[in-house]
Amino acid sequence: MGWSLAVHGGAGPSKHRTYEAEEAHMTALLERGADMLDDGASALDVVTAMVRELEESGQHVDGKGASANSEGVYELDAAVMDGAARRAGAVAALVGFRAPILAARAVMEKTPHVLLAGQGAAAFCGRQGLEQVPDPAAYYTPAVKKALVQGELAHGTVGAVARDASGRLAAATSTGGLLNKLAGRVGDAPLIGSGTWADERVAVSCTGQGEFFIRAAVAADISARMRYGGQTLHAAAAGALADMEAQGGDGGLIAVDAAGNVTAPFVSEGMKRGIATSAGRFEVKTFR
Ligand code: ASP
């Protein structure tokens, strides 16, 4: 059985600039993910590793590249979902920790809960011994500066979806959310079924204006369209995205199904994205 992998760096890019550095990093990342999957790694471990490296790159609006909220605080959201076991973990409005995706995974693996938020999430991460950010001003290097927001969509996220060689599906998403968001604002990324979803049928990671993805429950809607409507992955993803767009939002997503098909539709100007499969497909692009 083959494997499939897709990653994204958000649907916020603008045609006012190019993204060579981001595309080069994504290429190296996909090669690493491909090696892991060739070696029999689980989809869950691969999506976690991909998102962790995207967080640390500082190239996207998440992890090191996140922007502060309207009160100057770095509040981050992340989620991971293991489709085979239908397990999920997420953190929302997490302050002070370096790897939100590892925090989400710890929620999934070490608690009976799915989502921890705010102070409780931070206290849990502290008890887990997860790496802290002692000096936010020194650590964070916002990928999109507030002064540069003109001409750029003011949001960003990273994500990964995979189907491993055993046929298991997993999805992971991590974000700094919207620039200038209000304190306490939570987007779609950590909401299972909105920005992140994986089951036995499909794994999905979304990016875009989270409020619209929440109201369209985009990620779970793709699975429902496939399950109840018999739609293909491509039709289901395009249909769910069109429903979101019809509410006035924009963005995109990456998704992989149980047969290893991959899709990466977007209705924004661009979406930093990469796809690799064991059948030899390999592409990294930002625009159409
Ligand atoms: N969906 C993210 C959020 O609303 C932002 C993004 O994907 O660009 O938090």
Side-chain angles (χ1 to χ4, degrees):
M1 217 186 218
W3 52 259
S4 300
L5 172 65
V7 297
H8 74 75
S14 119
K15 291 211 161 145
H16 296 277
R17 54 161 288 204
T18 57
Y19 292 87
E20 278 102 2
E22 289 85 344
E23 289 174 2
H25 180 252
M26 220 170 245
T27 300
L29 198 56
L30 278 180
E31 283 164 357
R32 186 167 157 236
D35 286 345
M36 289 177 75
L37 287 159
D38 274 336
D39 289 346
S42 70
L44 178 63
D45 283 346
V46 173
V47 296
T48 305
M50 297 293 101
V51 167
R52 180 67 200 107
E53 289 206 20
L54 288 163
E55 284 177 342
E56 204 59 29
S57 74
Q59 292 178 329
H60 315 281
V61 184
D62 77 298
K64 188 172 174 56
S67 298
N69 65 20
S70 59
E71 295 183 6
V73 178
Y74 292 85
E75 287 186 338
L76 305 177
D77 298 339
V80 64
M81 190 160 186
D82 173 6
R86 198 73 77 87
R87 294 184 302 164
V91 287
L94 176 65
V95 177
F97 288 85
R98 186 160 174 158
I101 196 62
L102 298 186
R105 183 133 175 202
V107 171
M108 180 174 89
E109 292 178 336
K110 307 277 177 54
T111 80
H113 309 305
V114 167
L115 173 61
L116 293 182
Q119 288 180 356
F124 167 74
C125 291
R127 290 194 298 275
Q128 290 297 312
L130 296 179
E131 192 178 347
Q132 302 200 13
V133 176
D135 182 356
Y139 175 67
Y140 291 106
T141 54
V144 178
K145 310 278 187 303
K146 286 180 187 173
L148 298 181
V149 163
Q150 195 183 12
E152 298 224 22
L153 290 176
H155 58 80
T157 289
V158 303
V161 294
R163 170 191 181 272
D164 63 31
S166 303
R168 294 168 297 192
L169 300 171
T173 313
S174 180
T175 188
L178 304 183
L179 265 73
N180 295 320
K181 66 185 180 182
L182 293 177
R185 180 267 185 188
V186 172
D188 59 318
L191 301 186
I192 297 302
S194 291
T196 305
W197 179 261
D199 57 18
E200 62 281 18
R201 203 167 295 108
V202 65
V204 184
S205 172
C206 300
T207 170
Q209 291 167 289
E211 282 71 9
F212 293 92
F213 281 76
I214 294 168
R215 284 185 260 162
V218 171
D221 186 38
I222 294 172
S223 180
R225 285 167 184 264
M226 294 171 74
R227 183 176 193 174
Y228 306 121
Q231 292 188 357
T232 64
L233 173 72
H234 297 277
L241 204 54
D243 183 43
M244 183 284 303
E245 188 184 21
Q247 318 305 319
D250 81 1
L253 61 91
I254 52 173
V256 58
D257 71 10
N261 297 303
V262 186
T263 191
F266 54 95
V267 294
S268 42
E269 243 184 8
M271 180 173 75
K272 293 171 270 180
R273 63 201 186 276
I275 295 171
T277 71
S278 56
R281 183 173 175 193
F282 194 102
E283 58 194 57
V284 174
K285 281 176 104 170
T286 298
F287 299 107
R288 287 191 199 280

